[in-house]
Amino acid sequence: MSQENQSSALGASQTLDLTKYTLASPVEIVHHLKAIAKSGYMVTVFSNKGKTFILTRLLEVDAKKQSMIFDWGSDEATNQQLLASERNVFVCSPEGVKTQFITGQVRQVDFEGKPAFEVDLPVQIIKLQRREFFRIRTPVGNPLLCTFTDYPGAPIDLAVFDISLGGLALWLPDLAMAGFDIGTQYLDCHVDLKPFGHLQCMLEVRHRLPLQMRNGQDAVRIGCTFIKLPTQMENLIQRYVGQLERERRAMMR
């Protein structure tokens, strides 16, 4: 479970010095995982070399046994693939802090009369603050559209360039387009994250970056941060990003 393996599991386009973001103390690891279990945040577990994943919750963290128990998945075939997987990546975002760690093979156990998974605690955990979330590029051929319902005059749709749990970037079709200065907020925005559902969010413009497209045309990319994004919507984005990452890795293979 080297730090190099942890870094590659991030799937980030940028390189981060992960040393300052890593928890390696057993006490810190147990404390952080217990907080996640208590909060009930959804956790995505990627298994089978990233080919499959389940959404689950941590149920119990045992400091003495150095193990944790997490909920059984909804799809039996995926559960069996997870049981056979020797290396698994856990990802979640409690309180806007992305948590990621790698474990070995899991075991099936009974927990309060129901099937569950048990696994040894990780030797280290990576915690990235919201602003350090990697952003994943959205499909070019079938771009996501963000609808700004409360844009002055009439609702408008902007193409989404990339997305993360921290926010998203969009293309402005007109350099002189009004209403997207830094600090501008839109409180009724919608993105259809097919096939996972409909993202409803509030956005604040944080960055404006003038660029020149490959065809020579000038353009502006704006970076927006989510405002008080509900946990339900974070889970939706997490599932969508997870699917894009799986597709990206499949194409690389």
Side-chain angles (χ1 to χ4, degrees):
M1 296 184 193
S2 68
Q3 191 143 316
E4 180 181 357
N5 287 339
Q6 287 266 32
S7 179
S8 63
L10 284 171
S13 59
Q14 63 199 77
T15 300
L16 296 175
D17 177 10
L18 297 179
T19 304
K20 62 181 179 179
Y21 307 117
T22 302
L23 300 180
S25 161
V27 174
E28 288 181 320
I29 289 172
V30 168
H31 177 76
H32 189 58
L33 293 177
K34 282 189 173 182
I36 294 173
K38 184 178 180 180
S39 67
Y41 277 98
M42 296 297 296
V43 179
T44 303
V45 184
F46 294 92
S47 61
N48 193 22
K49 298 181 179 180
K51 297 177 183 177
T52 55
F53 70 93
I54 68 168
L55 286 174
T56 184
R57 287 186 173 88
L58 302 188
L59 301 175
E60 183 177 83
V61 179
D62 192 321
K64 292 183 179 180
K65 292 178 61 178
Q66 284 292 291
S67 66
M68 65 179 183
I69 295 175
F70 57 100
D71 205 6
W72 197 252
S74 59
D75 181 75
E76 190 58 33
T78 306
N79 291 336
Q80 296 304 315
Q81 289 172 322
L82 174 55
L83 287 171
S85 178
E86 297 180 354
R87 180 179 181 274
N88 307 291
V89 180
F90 290 66
V91 181
C92 64
S93 301
E95 301 296 336
V97 178
K98 181 175 179 180
T99 293
Q100 179 164 306
F101 55 90
I102 296 172
T103 72
Q105 196 157 9
V106 306
R107 307 172 288 275
Q108 181 177 349
V109 296
D110 288 329
F111 183 78
E112 297 181 349
K114 297 180 180 180
F117 295 107
E118 182 182 43
V119 69
D120 295 339
L121 295 183
V123 297
Q124 60 185 24
I125 291 177
I126 293 175
K127 291 172 59 181
L128 297 178
Q129 298 298 322
R130 181 181 296 274
R131 64 181 178 275
E132 293 151 342
F133 288 162
F134 74 90
R135 293 175 178 267
I136 193 163
R137 295 278 292 271
T138 56
V140 176
N142 185 25
L144 292 181
L145 294 178
C146 180
T147 301
F148 290 77
T149 305
D150 54 348
Y151 183 77
I156 62 168
D157 294 330
L158 296 182
V160 177
F161 175 74
D162 60 33
I163 188 169
S164 75
L165 285 168
L168 45 79
L170 307 127
W171 290 112
L172 290 185
D174 185 348
L175 294 179
M177 190 171 183
F180 288 95
D181 296 327
I182 294 175
T184 304
Q185 293 185 352
Y186 292 96
L187 306 182
D188 191 10
C189 305
H190 306 266
V191 183
D192 189 2
L193 296 179
K194 298 178 181 179
F196 298 104
H198 199 76
L199 172 65
Q200 301 179 39
C201 59
M202 298 184 292
L203 294 170
E204 179 177 330
V205 179
R206 290 291 184 87
H207 305 284
R208 288 178 62 96
L209 181 64
L211 296 170
Q212 189 173 69
M213 309 292 283
R214 291 183 178 179
N215 59 10
Q217 293 183 343
D218 292 329
V220 175
R221 193 170 73 203
I222 59 170
C224 298
T225 185
F226 294 122
I227 304 172
K228 297 179 180 179
L229 190 67
T231 301
Q232 180 183 0
M233 295 294 103
E234 286 190 344
N235 292 338
L236 189 67
I237 296 172
Q238 186 168 300
R239 293 177 64 192
Y240 177 77
V241 170
Q243 178 65 26
L244 289 187
E245 179 66 6
R246 289 173 60 211
E247 292 175 356
R248 185 188 70 84
R249 292 183 182 183
M251 291 179 65
M252 290 177 64
R253 287 195 295 269

